[in-house]
Amino acid sequence: MKKNGFKQGVIGLNLTSMIDVVFLLLIYFMVATEFKTSEAAFAMDLPERIEQSSTLFDDEPLIILVDSAGEEIHDVRMSVLGPWDDVQTPEALRAFLYKNVADGFGKQGYFTLDHPIVIRPAKDAHWEHVLAVYNAAVHAKYTNITLDEPT
Amino acid sequence: MIRRGQASSAIHANMTPMIDVIFLLIVFFVAVSQIVDRDAVPLDLPAFEESAASEIGIEDKVIVNLISNQEGQVSQIHVRGHDVAIEDIETLHRIVTTGINGGAKEIHIRAERTAAYQYVYEVFESIQLLEGAKHVQLVIKDDAG
């Protein structure tokens, strides 16, 4: 109903300015947000090589052999060279490395945290199985881990 | 021609809000293009329940993608928008060196979970020969993320 003295008006939203403000807010939050990627990474230093063949270490490295018996994560086959026959899974390796660390704060063990660990996979070993062993060593806080030539 | 008694009516597009919105769209797409990593091709990366891997930073990097078949054989490498045969070490060197000289701080190795290790090692050996390329990052899927 039209009242005396009042113009008939249509109530509407001004879309342009609304889009304007919405985009500004969107860009503000995009810039302010730190996007979390769905990927993570292990840092590794490639070893200095002498005449393309051998890698030099100050200490005798702990050598871990890795192979694959299937495609699943639990199909990893591994062994540690030396008198440690019972270390045959990444979980056992992690516990073994953790138990035998000599941290200089009273914990007695065979290895310091910078003791060289050499992972020596078979040439057909699956990349996931190689990294499962790498992950176990990183979990145990060891820092000097290298991937060796395939056997 | 304006006739007598007829009001002048010209259709005008209001340019100010249009320019406003167009500029916002440009800024939006520029911001998005900074976030989207076009070098990371979709791969079935290794994933672990209890991962000790670190988060990936936003710094400039060279991403080396090893594309393998079901038997784990890697025949092709995708790096910086180029598809390179795994035997073509010279081209791989040239692209990675260009990236490092252009300010890339890290080399990220992305390989499928079933890729055979010998091919990954070939890439290591190849990268190892380059100046200033002694640090690599081995990329996995972060299930927690």
Side-chain angles (χ1 to χ4, degrees):
Chain A
M1 202 174 82
K2 196 174 174 182
K3 286 182 181 175
N4 280 349
F6 285 97
K7 280 184 181 175
Q8 190 177 20
V10 180
I11 298 168
L13 278 175
N14 189 349
L15 275 177
T16 313
S17 53
M18 196 175 79
I19 292 168
D20 215 3
V21 172
V22 167
F23 265 106
L24 271 176
L25 284 169
L26 185 67
I27 289 164
Y28 170 77
F29 284 114
M30 275 175 64
V31 172
T33 308
E34 195 177 306
F35 282 86
K36 187 172 169 59
T37 59
S38 60
E39 294 179 2
F42 297 108
M44 188 182 79
D45 289 343
L46 293 173
E48 294 291 336
R49 298 179 76 82
I50 310 295
E51 291 176 358
Q52 299 285 312
S53 59
S54 62
T55 308
L56 293 181
F57 294 104
D58 293 334
D59 294 327
E60 187 67 28
L62 186 72
I63 296 171
I64 304 163
L65 306 179
V66 186
D67 205 349
S68 302
E71 284 197 2
E72 298 304 316
I73 184 69
H74 55 260
D75 291 329
V76 55
R77 298 287 175 269
M78 57 156 290
S79 59
V80 181
L81 289 189
W84 297 293
D85 295 337
D86 54 333
V87 185
Q88 291 180 345
T89 62
E91 294 74 28
L93 176 71
R94 180 178 161 188
F96 164 77
L97 290 173
Y98 187 75
K99 192 177 77 180
N100 289 303
V101 68
D103 60 2
F105 296 101
K107 198 173 174 186
Q108 301 295 318
Y110 299 118
F111 317 112
T112 54
L113 286 175
D114 61 350
H115 188 88
I117 294 175
V118 175
I119 298 169
R120 189 174 292 162
K123 65 184 171 71
D124 294 329
H126 289 184
W127 180 232
E128 184 171 53
H129 295 156
V130 177
L131 285 186
V133 175
Y134 198 99
N135 183 45
V138 174
H139 242 303
K141 312 278 187 224
Y142 285 74
T143 55
N144 190 2
I145 311 158
T146 49
L147 293 175
D148 202 12
E149 212 168 322
T151 53
Chain B
M1 203 176 86
I2 300 167
R3 288 183 186 169
R4 217 174 266 174
Q6 191 178 1
S8 157
S9 65
I11 298 168
H12 292 286
N14 193 352
M15 292 300 284
T16 313
M18 197 172 80
I19 291 168
D20 211 3
V21 171
I22 286 171
F23 266 105
L24 277 173
L25 284 169
I26 290 170
V27 174
F28 173 78
F29 284 113
V30 167
V32 167
S33 70
Q34 298 294 313
I35 294 158
V36 175
D37 211 338
R38 282 173 294 164
D39 280 342
V41 297
L43 292 177
D44 185 14
L45 296 172
F48 306 111
E49 278 179 16
E50 286 183 78
S51 162
S54 311
E55 278 185 24
I56 293 175
I58 55 166
E59 57 275 349
D60 197 10
K61 52 195 166 265
V62 179
I63 301 175
V64 181
N65 299 281
L66 280 73
I67 299 159
S68 58
N69 61 15
Q70 286 194 327
E71 284 78 44
Q73 291 174 318
V74 177
S75 55
Q76 210 172 45
I77 297 171
H78 184 87
V79 53
R80 295 237 149 183
H82 302 272
D83 287 322
V84 183
I86 194 156
E87 302 86 18
D88 193 0
I89 291 169
E90 278 184 21
T91 308
L92 180 65
H93 275 191
R94 184 169 48 77
I95 297 168
V96 174
T97 306
T98 308
I100 291 170
N101 293 341
K105 300 279 187 297
E106 295 175 347
I107 298 171
H108 286 222
I109 308 287
R110 296 174 84 248
E112 298 208 56
R113 46 184 291 273
T114 54
Y117 176 69
Q118 58 177 325
Y119 301 103
V120 183
Y121 189 77
E122 276 182 38
V123 174
F124 286 158
E125 273 194 317
S126 173
I127 289 171
Q128 218 166 4
L129 301 171
L130 298 173
E131 280 297 317
K134 300 292 174 231
H135 309 287
V136 294
Q137 299 277 333
L138 314 174
V139 179
I140 63 165
K141 191 175 162 192
D142 187 12
D143 277 347

